[in-house]
Amino acid sequence: MLTVKQMCAMSFQEHDRQSQWLLYLACLILPVAGAISVHADETPTAADLEFFETKIRPVLVEHCYECHAADSKILRGNLLLDSRAGIAKGGDSGTILGDGNPAESLLIQALRHESLIMPPKEKLSDQIISDFTEWVRRGAPDPRVEAKQARLKPVDWTAARQHWAFQPVTDPSPPQVMIDERLRGMGVSENWVQSPIDQFILDRLLREELTPAPRADRRTLIRRATFDLTGLPPTVEEINQFLADDSPDAFSKVVNRLLESPQYGERWGRHWLDLVRYATTNGADENHGLPNAWKYRDWVVRKINADLPLNEFLTQQLAGDLLPVPDDEKAAGDLLAATGMLVIGPKMLAEQDKDKMMIDIVDEQIDTVSRTMLGLTVGCARCHDHKFDPVSARDYYALAGIFYSTQSMADRAFVSKWMERPLPSQELVARRAEHQQKIDTAKAELEQLPKDDEAGRKARQAAIEQLEKEMPAPDLVMAVQEGEIHDLPVHIRGNHLKPGPEKIPRGMPSILTEVAAPAAIDKDRSGRLELAQWLVDSQNPLTRRVLMNRVWMWHFGRPLMTSPSNWGLQSTPPSHPELLDWLAQELVRRNWSLKEMHRVILLSSAWQMSSQCSEAVTERDPENRLLARQNRRRLEAEPVRDSLLFVGGSLDQTMGGMAPGVDAKRRAIYLPVDRAALYEMFSTFDYVETANHIEQRPVTTVPNQALFLMNSQIVHEQARKLIETLPTSDPGVPYSESSSVIVSLFETLYGRPPGPEEIRTSVAFLEQAEATLAATGDIRERRLQAWSALCRTLMSGNEFVYLD
């Protein structure tokens, strides 16, 4: 362990020396897992598999196999790209992957047309090269076996129809569990079962001869609930109020208060924005700003706060523009803003093959919608029938026809422009009409001048141009509208220049329509509304399961079904399938209310369990799949940042609109999300993917995170601001008599008072910190700096960034 003197040295010595101490402390505060790199000979993760199947394999098939496959007529350079082993081996020029370093990779150099030129006919797009660069950086994960064995067996559709995820949602009755003397002797209280959720959990635990962890203490519960529902820590006053409330519904009142706070929508809106790849710049080839993307984000926050039923929440994002137009202009505008979900994705705006640009946009929309709402990787069927799931290329192009018949681009200019639509406003229409009359009058006056009055005509023309510039502008939102209706053919190997002979009627994946029949799509409609209605139909086997699995994941840190966005044949069945189906049915019984489902979950004993358990339970179930305890979770980037500002009293909780930059003191959800230059803190704490759907935030443990918490400007500023609110600078009060201030610090940062040993250690830290600063500044400033150093040290602790 670091001594107090070492911690002081870390806070006050010169930068190089400080960095050494910080690195040491980082290893203690946030134990570093070994660096993970997926090499070509390792089994890829589900995310890596999906990346390869959607981004890499289609390009290899279309552009590389002709010269670099086992069945190529002429094998170029003795390089095989049709198998994992072939890529790992390389060819005549040597290995091609650069040991995971794209800068050293011959493959990347060839794609960039640097030292080599591949493909020889034409350079691939910047987006494809970027995808391959990311693939190499990941360690070139590749599921393909040897080329001679590379022909996968076709998906058995008959067997696939029996896949658990494609079966109708059941309506199970919660199992009856009796708390007998034996269970009471094992620590299970008489009133442990507070919810049907508890019945499912306890029944499974008892069958496995395990018992649940005890209830977490009250301080842990209010901190857990406040972060879960608002993404901010509870105040000391809120904690004390809860501790003093001995009524039976004390915790229920806390949950209700949090659900009614405006910060709730900001927290749960951010979860949704991960799924739909929200950003404020385009990324890709032309990283233009998306100046109206925030209006979609604000729609999400407002509707979650308003508890818009989730079936309507999904429907409006897919087809809000096709729903009956309300009389209220704000409500009508909201239906347009909702469809911004389909427009905010990255696009190759400067792609000069505009047909390719359009089908690539459709592909991105299919990927986002199918993974977010269905939990299926439909995008893998663009170039061929899905290799692992019962999704055919016909299914893909049936769905593609729906989105291709939807206008999400305003034009096909050299650098194309995405679709934006004006919000309805009769007042604006009237003002524009009045202003147009002024323009018309000025033009009429221009016509009345003698032709040879050049000066007069020039002045009048300038006045007209000025009036035209002053025309009141409509308030625009990113939104879609119905386009020219198209049924698409299958594109051979995903190439739009090689259409198949038959146009595929627009529709939904056939394996699911056998369970839930969709409404027929009218020949004059895109099919978006029919798709939305089918997704939320009571017979659809996936949508509600997918939604409730995500809600469970965001409350417990881990989902019931381990791959939240891939429910296909490769997925693992849920740990508690009956519980998941019960939750899916309960969602409908509670009118698709997300707030109601929060109450159901948070008021259960299962959610309220301690994260601590016996070693025996940990050994039996190290991943906690049986839910014998709550999961200890690290906060994501946004609540870490927001909490620092909150405890320092600097957080601007103004809602809505766009923060001017990442240094603004607004909540993180309002900061710009630049796909080409992501805010450093976001990437440090694992928010790194802004161009694609994020099924679950990854959690890495690396020294940079501890270094950030010790060194960053935001931590130094907020620690000082917090200290300045406390009585710390009086040199007449020895540190040994400042225990009340130390208590305040611990309660503000950790939601609990310190123990006696923590107080003694803190006092020793402060004394040695001031001694280290003896030669600098006056005594009051030295004391403030010493207290600030203690505050920064506490902010760097696991307890500040983890939930128990």
Side-chain angles (χ1 to χ4, degrees):
M1 295 291 293
L2 286 177
T3 65
V4 173
K5 185 175 182 180
Q6 288 170 333
M7 287 191 285
C8 291
M10 175 180 57
S11 296
F12 298 108
Q13 291 179 4
E14 69 276 13
H15 182 268
D16 289 344
R17 181 66 174 163
Q18 179 183 13
S19 297
Q20 295 173 17
W21 280 118
L22 286 172
L23 183 59
Y24 179 40
L25 181 67
C27 297
L28 296 177
I29 295 176
L30 297 172
V32 181
I36 298 174
S37 177
V38 181
H39 294 287
D41 58 347
E42 294 179 354
T43 301
T45 65
D48 288 330
L49 177 65
E50 182 177 349
F51 188 86
F52 178 84
E53 293 296 341
T54 57
K55 306 290 187 182
I56 305 303
R57 190 198 289 261
V59 179
L60 293 174
V61 170
E62 180 178 353
H63 296 285
C64 306
Y65 279 10
E66 182 178 353
C67 301
H68 297 287
D71 56 0
S72 300
K73 293 181 180 179
I74 300 177
L75 181 62
R76 305 284 186 183
N78 285 318
L79 175 63
L80 289 171
L81 299 179
D82 60 344
S83 69
R84 183 172 61 205
I87 286 184
K89 180 181 178 182
D92 291 342
S93 299
T95 59
I96 65 172
L97 296 178
D99 196 27
N101 181 358
E104 302 295 327
S105 168
L106 287 178
L107 174 63
I108 301 304
Q109 293 172 18
L111 293 178
R112 290 173 176 164
H113 285 197
E114 295 175 349
S115 59
L116 300 168
I117 297 179
M118 291 294 165
K121 295 180 181 178
E122 62 175 335
K123 186 178 179 182
L124 299 178
S125 70
D126 290 343
Q127 183 62 54
I128 290 176
I129 295 172
S130 175
D131 290 339
F132 271 81
T133 302
E134 171 63 14
W135 181 59
V136 169
R137 188 195 64 77
R138 293 185 181 202
D142 187 343
R144 299 171 302 165
V145 293
E146 294 295 334
K148 292 182 180 178
Q149 304 169 350
R151 301 292 182 252
L152 297 175
K153 291 183 179 179
V155 172
D156 184 340
W157 280 62
T158 300
R161 289 184 176 91
Q162 304 307 311
H163 179 53
W164 63 268
F166 301 154
Q167 306 310 304
V169 178
T170 62
D171 192 9
S173 298
Q176 297 300 312
V177 182
M178 298 297 295
I179 309 295
D180 55 22
E181 195 65 34
R182 181 180 68 89
L183 292 179
R184 285 193 290 272
M186 297 169 69
V188 182
S189 65
E190 189 73 44
N191 63 349
W192 195 87
V193 173
Q194 296 291 315
S195 157
I197 290 175
D198 302 330
Q199 295 174 253
F200 288 105
I201 298 295
L202 186 57
D203 177 69
R204 178 71 189 279
L205 287 173
L206 295 180
R207 284 190 278 119
E208 299 288 340
E209 298 184 343
L210 294 173
T211 54
R215 190 174 191 257
D217 65 81
R218 279 194 155 201
R219 288 182 180 274
T220 297
L221 284 180
I222 190 171
R223 188 169 189 271
R224 184 190 295 170
T226 308
F227 270 112
D228 257 19
L229 294 178
T230 70
L232 294 171
T235 65
V236 175
E237 293 75 16
E238 289 167 345
I239 294 172
N240 290 335
Q241 184 179 14
F242 176 51
L243 295 177
D245 187 349
D246 58 2
S247 63
D249 63 344
F251 187 64
S252 178
K253 288 188 285 188
V254 168
V255 171
N256 288 335
R257 172 178 61 79
L258 294 171
L259 288 174
E260 293 308 312
S261 72
Q263 289 72 41
Y264 159 73
E266 294 169 333
R267 172 61 163 160
W268 281 76
R270 180 61 259 184
H271 286 319
W272 181 257
L273 295 176
D274 272 8
L275 300 176
V276 297
R277 75 317 185 207
Y278 170 78
T280 57
T281 70
N282 180 67
D285 60 342
E286 298 281 335
N287 190 42
H288 294 295
L290 304 177
N292 290 314
W294 64 269
K295 295 175 183 176
Y296 167 73
R297 179 211 59 210
D298 281 4
W299 177 88
V300 170
V301 172
R302 286 199 310 273
K303 295 308 174 184
I304 289 180
N305 267 333
D307 201 22
L308 180 70
L310 287 179
N311 55 342
E312 297 179 35
F313 184 71
L314 298 185
T315 299
Q316 290 183 19
Q317 291 178 76
L318 283 169
D321 59 313
L322 303 179
L323 296 172
V325 180
D327 292 333
D328 180 77
E329 288 183 346
K330 181 68 170 62
D334 277 352
L335 292 180
L336 293 181
T339 68
M341 184 271 291
L342 293 172
V343 190
I344 59 175
K347 309 163 191 68
M348 298 295 289
L349 300 175
E351 169 65 65
Q352 292 310 293
D353 183 342
K354 295 303 176 181
D355 289 334
K356 182 179 188 302
M357 178 191 74
M358 294 306 302
I359 195 63
D360 285 347
I361 291 171
V362 166
D363 180 69
E364 190 274 334
Q365 292 168 335
I366 288 175
D367 181 67
T368 299
V369 171
S370 65
R371 292 168 66 194
T372 297
M373 301 180 190
L374 281 175
L376 289 179
T377 56
V378 175
C380 292
R382 178 180 181 179
C383 301
H384 47 68
D385 291 347
H386 202 297
K387 297 294 185 182
F388 305 103
D389 291 330
V391 180
S392 67
R394 289 180 62 92
D395 288 328
Y396 176 92
Y397 287 96
L399 196 56
I402 292 175
F403 293 106
Y404 205 86
S405 301
T406 300
Q407 186 177 355
S408 54
M409 296 299 292
D411 59 42
R412 294 189 171 207
F414 185 88
V415 177
S416 301
K417 175 67 176 174
W418 54 87
M419 189 71 185
E420 293 183 324
R421 297 180 63 179
L423 291 173
S425 171
Q426 289 301 316
E427 185 269 338
L428 179 64
V429 169
R431 285 200 296 124
R432 285 175 64 89
E434 181 181 352
H435 196 82
Q436 185 62 48
Q437 288 182 351
K438 296 179 182 178
I439 295 173
D440 293 341
T441 299
K443 288 181 176 179
E445 291 172 351
L446 175 62
E447 291 299 319
Q448 296 302 317
L449 293 177
K451 296 292 185 181
D452 56 354
D453 186 358
E454 183 176 345
R457 294 181 65 84
K458 187 175 182 179
R460 183 62 62 187
Q461 184 61 44
I464 292 172
E465 291 175 358
Q466 183 62 32
L467 281 171
E468 289 175 337
K469 290 178 182 179
E470 294 171 351
M471 172 67 79
D475 190 5
L476 299 175
V477 292
M478 299 179 77
V480 301
Q481 65 186 21
E482 291 287 78
E484 185 178 344
I485 306 303
H486 291 275
D487 284 334
L488 296 178
V490 170
H491 294 170
I492 307 303
R493 290 188 172 181
N495 187 341
H496 68 290
L497 299 176
K498 298 179 180 178
E502 174 191 2
K503 289 192 174 182
I504 311 302
R506 282 159 288 129
M508 295 58 155
S510 57
I511 192 73
L512 299 177
T513 60
E514 296 176 13
V515 181
I521 298 176
D522 189 276
K523 64 181 179 63
D524 296 324
R525 296 167 62 98
S526 66
R528 274 186 295 124
L529 182 57
E530 291 79 1
L531 171 62
Q533 292 169 337
W534 173 79
L535 282 168
V536 299
D537 186 273
S538 61
Q539 300 303 309
N540 191 300
L542 284 174
T543 308
R544 286 175 292 148
R545 284 172 171 151
V546 169
L547 286 173
M548 290 316 303
N549 192 55
R550 297 193 194 282
V551 172
W552 187 274
M553 174 182 72
W554 290 322
H555 277 309
F556 282 82
R558 294 175 185 169
L560 294 169
M561 203 287 284
T562 55
S563 52
S565 298
N566 186 355
W567 294 61
L569 302 185
Q570 304 296 307
S571 63
T572 303
S575 58
H576 298 73
E578 294 84 7
L579 171 58
L580 182 58
D581 276 12
W582 183 86
L583 290 167
Q585 296 287 20
E586 190 70 4
L587 177 64
V588 176
R589 287 189 286 266
R590 293 177 182 260
N591 298 315
W592 293 78
S593 167
L594 180 57
K595 287 189 176 182
E596 283 295 301
M597 296 310 297
H598 290 309
R599 293 186 177 96
V600 168
I601 292 173
L602 267 65
L603 297 181
S604 70
S605 291
W607 184 87
Q608 295 179 25
M609 283 190 292
S610 169
S611 62
Q612 306 299 314
C613 66
S614 68
E615 290 186 8
V617 172
T618 302
E619 290 176 2
R620 282 281 307 279
D621 184 20
E623 295 184 354
N624 197 27
R625 293 285 290 151
L626 299 175
L627 294 168
R629 63 188 184 279
Q630 179 59 275
N631 294 303
R632 192 165 190 252
R633 293 171 276 155
R634 198 190 72 198
L635 297 171
E636 311 96 288
E638 295 91 339
V640 170
R641 173 196 172 275
D642 291 351
S643 295
L644 289 168
L645 292 170
F646 184 79
V647 298
S650 300
L651 185 63
D652 177 356
Q653 298 200 49
T654 302
M655 295 187 68
M658 192 67 193
V662 296
D663 293 328
K665 300 300 191 291
R666 302 281 306 280
R667 288 204 70 175
I669 191 173
Y670 299 116
L671 300 185
V673 180
D674 189 329
R675 287 186 169 123
L678 191 61
Y679 177 32
E680 182 183 6
M681 184 189 177
F682 288 171
S683 56
T684 299
F685 285 90
D686 301 317
Y687 175 33
V688 295
E689 178 56 81
T690 58
N692 296 296
H693 162 100
I694 302 173
E695 69 171 3
Q696 183 177 13
R697 291 278 182 98
V699 178
T700 63
T701 307
V702 294
N704 283 355
Q705 294 159 356
L707 294 174
F708 175 89
L709 290 172
M710 286 301 296
N711 267 346
S712 71
Q713 181 179 352
I714 187 175
V715 173
H716 278 253
E717 286 179 352
Q718 300 314 309
R720 178 65 179 241
K721 286 180 176 294
L722 174 55
I723 290 303
E724 288 175 347
T725 66
L726 301 172
T728 58
S729 62
D730 186 351
V733 179
Y735 291 118
S736 59
E737 297 179 12
S738 299
S739 59
S740 62
V741 181
I742 296 172
V743 169
S744 294
L745 269 183
F746 271 76
E747 288 185 333
T748 300
L749 298 177
Y750 293 166
R752 65 168 180 84
E757 180 59 32
E758 289 172 318
I759 291 178
R760 284 193 292 272
T761 301
S762 298
V763 169
F765 178 101
L766 291 164
E767 291 172 345
Q768 293 193 27
E770 185 176 325
T772 302
L773 289 164
T776 63
D778 61 46
I779 180 62
R780 293 179 181 275
E781 177 60 24
R782 289 201 300 271
R783 288 178 67 87
L784 283 172
Q785 289 192 32
W787 279 103
S788 296
L790 175 62
C791 187
R792 293 198 305 274
T793 302
L794 295 178
M795 287 176 169
S796 300
N798 276 352
E799 203 167 343
F800 187 72
V801 296
Y802 274 81
L803 293 181
D804 284 317

